[in-house]
Amino acid sequence: EAGVAQSPRYKIIEKRQSVAFWCNPISGHATLYWYQQILGQGPKLLIQFQNNGVVDDSQLPKDRFSAERLKGVDSTLKIQPAKLEDSAVYLCASSLTPGSGTKNIQYFGAGTRLSVL
Amino acid sequence: AQSVTQLGSHVSVSEGALVLLRCNYSSSVPPYLFWYVQYPNQGLQLLLKYTTGATLVKGINGFEAEFKKSETSFHLTKPSAHMSDAAEYFCAVTRTSSSASKIIFGSGTRLSIRP
């Protein structure tokens, strides 16, 4: 079974530039998550999709961050314009079902490491 | 609100020694608790989870954790450390069986293994 795929693995940009990350979840997984992991901290949920609908985006800085999951499969996360404090690893995860029941386990991709100079 | 506190940002043990990573949680409702491991330049991998039932939970790679409600703790242990255990470990909590419940991660503990 293929895992969660993310690209690119690394990205270096200058502040005020824009950047986009791509995620392909495990086949059949209805729920997709984007996390931000700042160095020295645990992952923080940015947005959760159920199929192509948003379940939770309460911690997404909507003035600069956007995400979409067209057709309920792949997803892209965009930052425009980027700030220095956006330097972090952006992790994508997927699960078969939402929530935290016994059938729900989140599988994580390797992440995209973003450096904003 | 829920939260997780991991005591010790860095733990170093000798190969073959006991591994103990501490985690305390705060939750106003019965929690689900998790331990994840993150190897360098990789995503997070679930080690084990506590939902209901037996309070001693066994996970992969010889790790186990015990849910102690009276102490609000979910410490991770392994009897004998191996060099391959060197990684970052995250404790996490979420509300039970809520379809919109997010997982709250602790700040992580880096485990180093001395030869």
Side-chain angles (χ1 to χ4, degrees):
Chain A
E1 179 183 80
V4 176
Q6 290 188 248
S7 67
R9 288 298 312 276
Y10 306 92
K11 190 73 176 179
I12 300 174
I13 62 172
E14 295 185 350
K15 60 183 179 183
R16 290 186 291 273
Q17 286 186 322
S18 63
V19 64
F21 313 127
W22 174 81
C23 173
N24 185 19
I26 292 173
S27 178
H29 280 195
T31 311
L32 185 146
Y33 314 78
W34 281 102
Y35 289 87
Q36 181 191 57
Q37 185 178 16
I38 293 173
L39 186 65
Q41 299 181 20
K44 181 185 77 172
L45 181 68
L46 292 175
I47 189 167
Q48 176 182 343
F49 290 95
Q50 175 65 15
N51 295 312
N52 60 350
V54 176
V55 173
D56 183 351
D57 64 355
S58 58
Q59 297 193 87
L60 186 74
K62 299 180 185 64
D63 58 332
R64 298 183 301 106
F65 285 65
S66 64
E68 60 182 11
R69 193 184 182 197
L70 300 176
K71 302 180 181 179
V73 181
D74 294 6
S75 177
T76 57
L77 176 69
K78 297 180 182 178
I79 307 175
Q80 182 179 7
K83 293 185 175 181
L84 296 177
E85 58 262 35
D86 297 332
S87 295
V89 175
Y90 291 85
L91 295 166
C92 179
S94 70
S95 63
L96 191 60
T97 60
S100 51
T102 55
K103 293 184 178 180
N104 179 60
I105 295 175
Q106 291 190 28
Y107 295 87
F108 285 79
T112 296
R113 184 177 300 275
L114 174 67
S115 297
V116 182
L117 307 178
Chain B
Q2 296 178 303
S3 66
V4 173
T5 301
Q6 291 187 240
L7 302 176
S9 59
H10 185 207
V11 171
S12 180
V13 303
S14 298
E15 190 174 17
L18 171 71
V19 175
L20 171 61
L21 304 183
R22 300 178 186 275
C23 172
N24 287 90
Y25 70 91
S26 173
S27 179
S28 58
V29 298
Y32 282 5
L33 295 160
F34 309 80
W35 276 99
Y36 283 84
V37 60
Q38 186 176 33
Y39 297 101
N41 298 315
Q42 295 186 28
L44 278 71
Q45 179 183 3
L46 183 67
L47 267 180
L48 49 81
K49 65 189 290 186
Y50 167 79
T51 55
T52 58
T55 57
L56 182 62
V57 181
K58 295 186 183 299
I60 62 173
N61 301 337
F63 284 93
E64 61 182 36
E66 186 171 10
F67 171 60
K68 292 187 176 181
K69 184 178 179 180
S70 61
E71 299 177 8
T72 62
S73 69
F74 191 58
H75 301 331
L76 181 70
T77 61
K78 181 174 181 177
S80 177
H82 192 272
M83 296 300 291
S84 61
D85 295 326
E88 188 93 17
Y89 292 80
F90 293 93
C91 182
V93 64
T94 189
R95 290 192 304 235
T96 55
S97 300
S98 169
S99 63
S101 180
K102 66 183 66 155
I103 293 179
I104 307 298
F105 287 89
S107 56
T109 298
R110 179 175 300 176
L111 176 64
S112 299
I113 311 297
R114 301 188 300 271

